[in-house]
Amino acid sequence: MSLPENDFKPGLDLLKSPILPLVRLAQLLYLTGPFDRVEELLAELHEPLETATISYENPGNELKPYLAPLKTIESLKFPREENRVIRDETGAPVAPLEALDAWIAQEILTMELETINSLLCRPCGCMLCCIGPDGELSQEYFEIPLDAAETSLFDLPVLDTPSSRSSTPEDEPPFAPTGRPFYREPSGLYHWQSGWSLVLPRGTSCPALTAGTGSCRIYPERPLVCRRPQIFPYMLERLPKRDPQAPMDLTPEYTLRRKILAVWDCPYVKRFQDQITRYAELCEMEILFRENKA
Ligand code: SF4
Ligand code: SF4
């Protein structure tokens, strides 16, 4: 990728000064101050604030887009029953303050990285996330996980049967609705045991991709997963439902990981690995680079 670094400046500026250190400072001020609601604290944060490495010009304003996850901290002053369990890597439940910090950090990083990823992806002119495997790759298909509502974005054959709903794409032998593996069929929407996905077999591309320009025809409405490549927060890992047949888990469980994942196949991840590593350090997280499409 030989584009000038200036084309990536808005995304790189955000990598240089993550919001999470300010969020942690705000949590401390809230917990030790006379505030009932987080909004009261934000209204007072109009002077510049500095952490060890970052200055925030107008902290109250900079935190406003993150108000919803920040307000979760209020549950420490106004206790309510938590409907999730967060465990450390040994399986022991973590202390309530640490669990809440991890939950808020996961939400905040998800929001901030969505913006950063969009800003870094756009100038690349790359389509890797929107096409099936090409000849050099060993995989037979790529999957785009979808919410049920997002399936209506695509005009594709739908496979939603008792048999698909009791299968996974990893099953061996592979799920074979017409006698041959599903990835030998044209692209389609599959309802698996774990939910919906758009399957892009080898040599195919997403139906929303415009050939030639590489642009997405449904960009403003694109699925959530398309908004969040290729640097991901991995503060918490959701554990599988205890009852796979239950429609939802009333008390979901998570393992605390404290990591940020970045997918090495992505050109901006490769190019800006030092900046991404620094972002993770500033957020007090470990960075993990990994291959996705090998
Ligand atoms: S919906 Fe758009 S962004 Fe998502 S894979 Fe298809 S073309 Fe790419
Ligand atoms: S691999 Fe990276 S640059 Fe390419 S489309 Fe995906 S997110 Fe964008």
Side-chain angles (χ1 to χ4, degrees), residues 8 116-126 129 219 226 229 266 268:
F8 298 91
I116 291 173
N117 280 309
S118 296
L119 290 168
L120 294 178
C121 174
R122 211 168 296 160
C124 292
C126 164
C129 293
Y219 193 79
C226 299
C266 169
Y268 66 73

Side-chain angles (χ1 to χ4, degrees), residues 129-130 144 154 198 206-209 215-219 222-223 226:
C129 293
C130 313
I144 300 178
F154 304 97
L198 163 56
C206 172
L209 186 69
S215 60
C216 172
R217 276 193 295 278
I218 55 169
Y219 193 79
R222 70 199 186 287
C226 299

